[in-house]
Amino acid sequence: MTQRVELATLRDRLAVDELITEYAVAVDDGDWAAYRNLFAPAGRADYRSAGGIEGDAGQVAGWLAESMRLFSMRQHLIVNRRVRFGVLEQDTGDTARVQADYVNPMRFAENGTGSSAPDFVCGGRYSFGLLRTYDGWRMHEVVVQEKWRRLPERTAPAVID
């Protein structure tokens, strides 16, 4: 591998890492416009294993905006990132696959006056499919595989329409 190729690969790895971090921050901060902008035009997400939906980035952002209102605090910790670059139309590095584990502590919104400790914690693995676009790396697929969750002794508050 030439020094130029090694430098390009390093730059791509840093850009991919930043994209995954921006994903976590957008969800934790409830910035749904930023969330949608992380996706390629035909990008999709699948949260069914965590009790959610599967759909295009706009549909999923709407579902997340509604369901995340239950939680006053969210903090995705995305770790153990494994990045593999692929080939699209004969150009190396046009695609990437990222597998990353997550732990996500959250606090129910109604618990704002009590402890600052999380009420709900879940963990699992993300599978990200990425594309290099004219705007940089973007997600074309996110699949959540929730592996475990710890719920509080009490039940979650009901969603009010």
Side-chain angles (χ1 to χ4, degrees):
M1 196 179 285
T2 68
Q3 189 175 18
R4 184 179 308 219
V5 171
E6 289 173 354
L7 181 58
T9 301
L10 179 59
R11 290 178 66 183
D12 282 335
R13 283 187 176 276
L14 290 170
V16 164
D17 189 67
E18 182 177 352
L19 182 67
I20 302 305
T21 298
E22 291 299 321
Y23 168 86
V25 170
V27 173
D28 290 345
D29 291 351
D31 188 344
W32 308 118
Y35 176 90
R36 285 187 297 275
N37 288 334
L38 297 172
F39 285 83
R44 301 186 67 76
D46 184 348
Y47 289 79
R48 290 178 293 182
S49 78
I53 68 168
E54 186 273 334
D56 67 47
Q59 292 169 319
V60 173
W63 171 78
L64 283 168
E66 184 63 30
S67 61
M68 292 295 118
R69 288 181 25 202
L70 291 173
F71 303 101
S72 63
M73 182 276 295
R74 301 179 290 272
Q75 186 179 28
H76 279 77
L77 306 171
I78 301 180
V79 299
N80 301 335
R81 300 173 194 204
R82 290 165 292 211
V83 179
R84 301 291 181 260
F85 292 102
V87 177
L88 179 68
E89 297 180 11
Q90 309 303 318
D91 289 328
T92 53
D94 286 336
T95 66
R97 299 288 315 165
V98 179
Q99 278 193 330
D101 296 328
Y102 70 89
V103 175
N104 186 13
M106 298 182 279
R107 183 175 51 247
F108 288 118
E110 74 175 26
N111 193 17
T113 59
S115 167
S116 62
D119 298 306
F120 176 92
V121 183
C122 60
R125 179 163 293 155
Y126 283 111
S127 177
F128 297 97
L130 310 179
L131 292 174
R132 184 192 310 273
T133 71
Y134 288 110
D135 296 320
W137 286 96
R138 295 292 183 265
M139 299 179 188
H140 75 86
E141 175 185 52
V142 175
V143 178
V144 175
Q145 180 188 7
E146 184 177 86
K147 293 184 175 187
W148 61 270
R149 64 174 53 183
R150 187 183 74 216
L151 296 168
E153 299 285 326
R154 60 184 179 76
T155 59
V159 176
I160 299 172
D161 290 307

